[in-house]
Amino acid sequence: MSDIVLNTLMKPLEEFFMPEFVEEIAINHAGEVWMRLHGARVPWVSYKSEKLSKQYLVDLIHTVANVYERPFEPVKGIPVVYATLPGQHRFTGIAGPNVMYDDNDVTGGVALNIRGHFVSTKDAFNSYNLKQGQPLLKIKPRSKKKSNDPYVHLMNAINDGSPILISGATSTGKTTFLNHILTLIDQNSRVITVEDARELNVPQKNRVHFVLSRTEQNNQMNYSRLLDLVVRMTPDVIIGGEISTDNASAMWEMMGTGHDHFYTTIHAESAAAAYGAFADRILHTQPAYKRAELIEEMKRKLHVVQLSRDGTLRAVTEVV
């Protein structure tokens, strides 16, 4: 009986994720679905659908949880459900206080992803541009040459999609600076933020905000579960909240998932201190790391923009 209920509930979504030209769909809030298309120049396109009400989406996640015997209790338990639907469609859903889209979700939102058909395995190597006698393609190669102009160096890092850590003391404008970077990123990008309180202003419409409060967390969501959730939601851009002892290890792991455009902030008084502070916060929960080696790896992978303040004067003082 539960299978029949699930099949019936899935009908409003099938027209979006079943076509072969669809790689996956993403729903960030009620009433709108984003479709990621195979091989499209603009990969994400959106459609409005009144059938996708918040109640419908929450009921769908509940039903998937029941059919596949997954725990799901957004307020006091685990708010995330993973399952593989018939046809090998990968399902990810979350509801409750840990997910938001805008101010309408102040009491809790809902979001889900469903992977569509996989690309045919016929001549699969060719579809990946792997051909005998031809060199491998370089997709979005990052510039290894550092410009002496700090503005150019920063813009190169943003355009390359390199991870950036924005460092500064209190009231130096770290969040404001990060909000400005977001305006420079492709408006067609899918952006996912991870914060302990909603602060970022994301102009991209295809976005999801995940919130893990340090003081008001009542359910069983944690940064380990959040890391798994973020990578399954297919982000083009990941924005982390301020680095703390609670989230540092998860943030560092997110940087290593192969996604471009990772940005986060930290309290520190110099670029060198920022690397050290980030490493120390990771070591607080992952003591097996060697501090010196961790800092050297950070310097290879992570740019730092240092902000400073003198009275009302704010300035970028380092770009490394």
Side-chain angles (χ1 to χ4, degrees), residues 29-92:
H29 63 94
E32 184 177 40
V33 57
W34 289 83
M35 301 166 64
R36 187 180 181 96
L37 309 181
H38 287 299
R41 189 177 66 85
V42 178
W44 292 100
V45 294
S46 67
Y47 289 91
K48 303 291 185 182
S49 176
E50 295 181 357
K51 298 178 182 178
L52 307 180
S53 67
K54 183 176 180 180
Q55 189 61 57
Y56 162 75
L57 296 171
V58 174
D59 288 346
L60 176 60
I61 299 173
H62 268 290
T63 303
V64 171
N66 289 336
V67 170
Y68 294 94
E69 299 181 344
R70 304 287 195 269
F72 178 62
E73 212 299 303
V75 178
K76 296 295 184 180
I78 297 174
V80 182
V81 174
Y82 304 116
T84 301
L85 305 176
Q88 298 299 303
H89 301 293
R90 191 178 69 185
F91 178 94
T92 302

Side-chain angles (χ1 to χ4, degrees), residues 6 22 71 74 76 95 121 131 151 176-177 226 270 284 302 310:
L6 177 58
V22 177
K76 296 295 184 180
T121 56
K131 302 174 183 178
Y151 177 89
T176 301
F177 192 86
L226 196 56
S270 68
H284 185 80
L302 179 63
D310 185 1

Side-chain angles (χ1 to χ4, degrees), residues 120-132 136:
S120 171
T121 56
K122 182 181 180 181
D123 199 17
F125 285 161
N126 186 60
S127 69
Y128 284 92
N129 287 284
L130 177 61
K131 302 174 183 178
Q132 185 175 2
L136 298 176

